[in-house]
Amino acid sequence: MARIVTTVVRADAETCAGFAELGVATAHEAQHRTGLLDHRLRPRQSGRIIAGPALTCEVPPGDNWMIHAALEQARPGDILVVSPTSPCDDGYFGDLLATSAQARGVCGLVIDAGVRDTAELRVMEFPVWSRTVSAQGCVKETLADVQVPLVCAGVLIRPGDVVVADDDGVCVVPRKSAAEVLANARRRAALEEEKRKLYAVGRLSLDVNAMRARLEEKGLTYE
């Protein structure tokens, strides 16, 4: 039986804001190169970076009824994560649903399916990451689950997990480990900043990262 869970514990806003400052690549590296959704999900705008708790929504193929139901559960800062129960490229989400989502405080959409009205979505500045763009409309006939764990673009996402999205893609960080991963990510960002200064004055990454000995061990020779 389909259900909507209303007792979700969300990642806190401060942690989400921290990830929004760092981006997808750093979050992904900071949790040992895990959590990255399949690259088939592409941004439908450029230059946006968002992070927030996942509001998860399953949808049957060609049916967007449960997205309407999911928006009732939205809280400010949520990112709507939609995954079909079997592959479907139809346009599940357009400017009307985006208008409702914005009014509810949803800060973006991640969907392993299609969206439409992409020009309007960009004008509205409602960021979207989707598998396809399709004008194909949906029906409203079949129930599915809202705010339950689901797999989106190959990655398990639990309601309330931190979703980070930017021009590089989408990464999810489990809520329970988010504080630890954020601390790792900040250390990594600080280290990268130190290296950036050295690279900018001409130091080679081979020397800064002590790579020469390992290259020699691997058998690299110069002629």
Side-chain angles (χ1 to χ4, degrees):
M1 179 177 293
R3 59 188 176 134
I4 295 177
V5 176
T6 62
T7 55
V8 170
V9 177
R10 288 166 165 82
D12 66 82
E14 183 178 354
T15 299
C16 294
F19 281 110
E21 295 175 354
L22 298 169
V24 167
T26 302
H28 168 61
E29 294 281 0
Q31 57 177 350
H32 311 293
R33 299 178 183 172
T34 61
L36 192 64
L37 275 63
D38 192 282
H39 60 79
R40 65 178 180 261
L41 265 61
R42 303 305 308 154
R44 301 303 165 187
Q45 64 287 315
S46 63
R48 293 296 303 274
I49 175 170
I50 61 172
L55 167 58
T56 65
C57 178
E58 288 183 345
V59 288
D63 192 319
N64 70 355
W65 201 8
M66 299 315 296
I67 296 178
H68 294 260
L71 290 179
E72 185 181 26
Q73 305 304 315
R75 294 185 185 176
D78 281 355
I79 295 178
L80 180 60
V81 177
V82 178
S83 186
T85 53
S86 62
C88 182
D89 292 334
D90 291 355
Y92 281 83
F93 190 97
D95 66 325
L96 282 178
L97 278 172
T99 299
S100 178
Q102 277 189 325
R104 302 284 297 173
V106 176
C107 64
L109 168 70
V110 173
I111 180 169
D112 193 9
V115 295
R116 58 184 184 178
D117 304 327
T118 51
E120 289 85 352
L121 294 175
R122 283 189 287 271
V123 170
M124 295 171 61
E125 298 186 347
F126 186 82
V128 170
W129 286 256
S130 73
R131 184 170 67 183
T132 63
V133 174
S134 172
Q136 177 63 51
C138 293
V139 300
K140 297 162 183 59
E141 293 290 344
T142 308
L143 302 181
D145 294 329
V146 172
Q147 290 289 58
V148 302
L150 53 71
V151 173
C152 182
V155 176
L156 174 65
I157 302 176
R158 299 175 179 83
D161 283 352
V162 182
V163 176
V164 190
D166 63 18
D167 286 353
D168 291 342
V170 182
C171 184
V172 62
V173 180
R175 178 182 60 82
K176 292 184 178 179
S177 61
E180 178 183 353
V181 173
L182 179 58
N184 291 340
R186 284 173 167 158
R187 283 193 291 270
R188 182 180 181 84
L191 182 60
E192 288 182 347
E193 184 57 30
E194 292 177 8
K195 290 181 178 180
R196 186 173 293 106
K197 293 177 181 176
L198 295 173
Y199 295 169
V201 296
R203 294 283 301 278
L204 290 172
S205 57
L206 287 174
D207 298 316
V208 172
N209 298 294
M211 293 177 174
R212 294 189 185 279
R214 290 195 63 233
L215 290 174
E216 185 176 351
E217 290 174 4
K218 294 284 186 180
L220 180 68
T221 61
Y222 292 83
E223 297 181 353

